[in-house]
């Protein structure tokens, strides 16, 4: 799409991918892109790549922009970042502030993950002669249901765009490497009883009371920590939602817990389900899996992963990724993948979201060394 | 209000209070009067009384109709019935059916409590020379919050309208006498925790899990039965509503149970609250009383109650009333009160609500004997 084709509805802010990384990140943060509203930012990214990166083949697919080198290198690495954010909470436009003596960029998306998007956009332009072929993916609809995630669509409709020997997701990791991820499963645990007037409970059967042993077992549960490739994946099993009853004067005939199980990547969804069913054995409830996604093994022993880690140097922190991320999508395609990006993951989705400026600069320098920028 | 003053929006169906009691009950059922929509039925009742009961002084107060004799009798008895129903559930218009060999009138309100309203309306017209002065009250907004109940308003604004030596509420009792009633209290039991991503529960604190011991104690609770005047008031303590959590991937920082305690009328609300707090002692929850109403002692040993029971004869069934009813409002005014009316209380609010025709006829005959009808 050329600039001339852009509808006249809103001008696309121009990004300068060769300028200061903090200015670039701030400009990207300031293009609001809550999930479903990524078009303006996708336009800006696409135009920046077309204007500044003649060494890349640029494709637009919906609000996803894919840019790739084709240098005939023996290996290909994919670097992906999502363009969307969770809803704005009076935290736009961005500001530069000082926190604990460090300069930060504050605003929605600064951590999750427009800091990473800025780093990738700059390196996409600068890395003209990398040691591996590169595929840069800037995608939409990550912060919403998996079915709407554009990686889901592309993996189904055009998986060749995602093929690579190794993938890096720019999710915030405080510029450490977070490898693999745990799986996640949601289960509805439903108790049924018999409605009655609450002044005559002996003709009814209280469904909410039947949740007592379920909650006690969850409260008492000692979660396993799996150690894989030296990384610790700490499992979590929790009731996250509860609802039951119909009125203040009626014995409830139905009560439900939504249980979320985050299981280590050495466990399949089927094994995870069996584990929960075993834990709740004998409770008078029905159990139904409503959603599940396998985790991803860290894959740090693969050749391209080792090359990436070697480029980062001995000082880099390597942890297990606890939350499910899109690395699992690449794992499902047989592509080892890690998370690596600027920003403290504990600040994701918070109203006080902010990224340290030195983490942005370090990420550009570190990845740039690996990709031969400035050689 | 005269007929000429009636707005032309909807014609008021005429009721024939001297006709067959089943026809009268069916006509009243067929004037839909879900709480808040009682005007048409109140109009019809008012017009029937004005047209057919010259011995009564009729007053209209909102959608409540009050009619009274002033014969100088030494005692006054108040008979009250509410005009409203719970929402219609495809159970209007009424039908006559046969169930288990008995003829029934089926439809919303047939039991709760338009059967009783029909009986009272007929007797109000026919009882021209009763042994006691009579106050007939047909009132609105019973099936909703106590604050909206018109008896609440009248007790506050014009309590002289409710003054009597004895009161009978026409709530369904299968034409037995149900005396007094239990009190009722609602309590919010709230657990608080700390939100966190559900893949990192160790930095959070699960509020839903804290409800486990609360639910276990409620499930294990052995409720007391109080015996008063030979009647059994069986207490009930239940979690009736549960809610907690904010999203499927967040450790819940708040969870709440609504607990309903139905306590015997020998117990004050303060004692009831103390009992619940003692039961939940040591649970990590906050307890707040959100609503409470004292019960009513049966008062069957008072003179007007004894006269009423004597008129009903030895065969009448006398039970404790389990559910809270407006008898407690009269009890609070120092007026002994009982429930007496046609219809099986277990059918209240059900979609299959229906009243036996013979119960309607028996109620008219029994109360009519007491009130000197046909002498």
């Amino acid at each position: 799409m050329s600039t001339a084709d852009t509808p006249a509805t809103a001008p696309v802010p121009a990004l300068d991918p060769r300028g200061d990384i903090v200015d670039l990140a701030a400009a990207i943060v300031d293009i609001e892109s809550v999930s479903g509203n990524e078009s303006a930012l996708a336009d800006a990214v696409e135009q920046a790549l077309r204007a500044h990166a003649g060494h890349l083949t640029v494709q637009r697919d919906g609000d996803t922009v894919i840019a790739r080198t084709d240098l005939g290198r023996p290996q290909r690495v994919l670097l992906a970042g999502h363009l969307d954010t969770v809803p704005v909470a009076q935290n736009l436009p961005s500001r530069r502030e000082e926190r604990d003596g460090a300069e930060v960029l504050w605003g929605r998306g600064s951590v999750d993950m427009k800091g990473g998007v800025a780093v990738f956009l700059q390196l996409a332009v600068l890395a003209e002669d990398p040691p591996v072929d590169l595929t840069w993916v800037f995608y939409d609809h990550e912060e919403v249901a998996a079915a709407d995630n554009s990686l889901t669509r592309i993996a189904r409709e055009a998986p060749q765009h995602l093929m690579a020997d190794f993938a890096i997701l720019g999710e915030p990791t405080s510029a450490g490497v977070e490898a693999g991820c745990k799986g996640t499963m949601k289960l509805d645990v439903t108790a049924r009883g018999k409605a009655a007037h609450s002044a005559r409970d002996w003709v009814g059967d209280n469904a909410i009371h039947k949740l007592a042993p379920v909650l006690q077992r969850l409260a008492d549960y000692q979660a396993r920590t799996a150690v894989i490739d030296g990384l610790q994946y700490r499992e979590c099993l929790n009731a996250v939602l509860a609802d039951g009853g119909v009125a203040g004067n009626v014995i409830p005939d139905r009560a439900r817990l939504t249980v979320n199980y985050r299981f280590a990547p050495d466990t399949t969804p089927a094994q995870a389900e069996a584990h929960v069913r075993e834990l709740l054995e004998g409770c008078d409830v029905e159990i139904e899996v409503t959603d599940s996604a396998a985790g991803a093994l860290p894959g740090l022993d693969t050749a391209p992963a080792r090359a990436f880690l070697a480029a980062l140097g001995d000082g880099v922190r390597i942890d297990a990724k606890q939350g499910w991320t899109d690395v699992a999508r690449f794992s499902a395609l047989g592509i080892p993948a890690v998370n690596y990006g600027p920003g403290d993951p504990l600040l994701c989705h918070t109203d006080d979201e902010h990224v340290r400026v030195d983490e942005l600069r370090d990420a550009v320098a570190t990845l740039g060394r690996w990709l031969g920028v400035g050689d």
Side-chain angles (χ1 to χ4, degrees), chain A:
Chain A
M1 189 170 78
S2 72
T3 305
D5 293 327
T6 307
T9 48
V12 177
L15 297 173
D16 176 10
R18 295 182 181 276
D20 181 73
I21 185 62
V22 186
D23 290 340
L24 179 59
I28 291 173
V29 167
D30 288 339
I31 302 175
E32 183 264 290
S33 59
V34 175
S35 304
N37 192 35
E38 298 95 335
S39 294
L41 180 54
D43 289 349
V45 167
E46 181 187 2
Q47 289 177 31
L49 290 168
R50 290 194 188 281
H52 295 274
H55 59 290
L56 298 175
T57 306
V58 179
Q59 290 178 285
R60 174 76 174 249
D61 181 336
D63 283 332
T64 291
V65 181
I66 301 175
R68 51 190 288 148
T69 63
D70 284 292
L71 303 167
R73 302 286 193 263
Q75 291 187 319
R76 175 174 293 279
V77 173
L78 181 147
L79 298 98
H82 64 83
L83 297 174
D84 59 322
T85 70
V86 296
V88 178
Q90 297 188 298
N91 50 6
L92 281 186
S94 66
R95 292 197 301 262
R96 299 214 196 177
E97 298 185 353
E98 192 178 296
R99 296 285 177 98
D100 303 325
E103 190 183 2
V104 304
L105 174 67
W106 174 97
R108 170 61 75 227
S110 55
V111 173
D112 188 10
M113 55 165 281
K114 292 183 168 181
V117 167
V119 169
F120 284 4
L121 180 60
Q122 182 152 84
L123 291 171
V125 169
L126 298 181
E128 296 183 25
D129 186 28
V132 287
D133 266 311
L134 299 174
T135 302
W136 305 92
V137 179
F138 301 93
Y139 65 105
D140 55 291
H141 283 88
E142 191 271 349
E143 297 287 6
V144 285
D148 295 328
N149 186 314
S150 66
L151 288 187
T152 305
R153 187 186 75 248
I154 294 169
R156 183 180 62 237
E157 296 176 359
Q160 70 278 11
H161 290 329
L162 303 182
M163 283 304 122
D165 300 290
F166 180 53
I168 300 171
L169 280 174
E171 292 277 0
T173 60
S174 297
V177 172
E178 298 194 349
C181 72
K182 290 187 294 201
T184 181
M185 173 171 289
K186 291 209 183 80
L187 307 100
D188 275 354
V189 176
T190 304
R192 297 190 190 277
K194 185 181 168 200
H197 195 290
S198 64
R200 297 186 204 92
D201 63 4
W202 56 91
V203 299
D205 182 23
N206 192 314
I208 293 178
H209 291 185
K210 293 183 183 182
L211 297 179
V214 176
L215 289 178
Q216 194 60 56
R217 291 182 199 187
L218 292 173
D220 293 342
Y221 183 71
Q222 297 292 319
R224 178 177 80 107
T225 296
V227 180
I228 303 169
D229 290 359
L231 304 177
Q232 296 196 331
Y233 295 90
R234 189 166 166 179
E235 297 196 334
C236 303
L237 180 60
N238 284 277
V240 287
L241 295 168
D243 70 277
V246 292
N249 62 349
V250 177
I251 299 300
D253 62 351
R254 184 173 166 283
R256 181 178 58 179
L257 296 173
T258 299
V259 171
N260 185 211
Y261 183 25
R262 302 287 181 142
F263 50 96
D266 60 354
T267 301
T268 66
Q271 290 169 326
E273 178 181 352
H275 182 66
V276 175
R277 288 187 183 278
E278 185 181 26
L279 180 72
L280 300 182
E281 181 80 40
C283 294
D284 185 10
V285 292
E286 298 161 17
I287 299 171
E288 183 190 5
V289 174
T290 59
D291 186 31
S292 76
L297 288 164
L300 294 182
D301 55 349
T302 60
R306 287 203 304 270
F308 167 69
L309 293 176
L312 265 51
D314 289 341
V316 70
R317 181 180 51 79
I318 304 177
D319 286 323
K321 181 68 179 175
Q322 301 297 338
W324 193 93
T325 78
D326 280 330
V327 294
R329 297 183 191 282
F330 292 100
S331 194
L333 293 171
I335 305 168
V338 300
N339 298 281
Y340 172 83
D344 178 351
L346 295 179
L347 292 174
C348 291
H349 303 192
T350 67
D351 298 354
D352 191 38
E353 192 172 348
H354 60 270
V355 63
R356 287 170 60 115
V357 159
D358 58 3
E359 287 192 8
L360 293 172
R361 299 195 195 285
D362 288 350
V364 171
T366 303
L367 286 176
R369 274 197 306 276
W370 175 47
L371 297 177
V373 173
D375 283 358

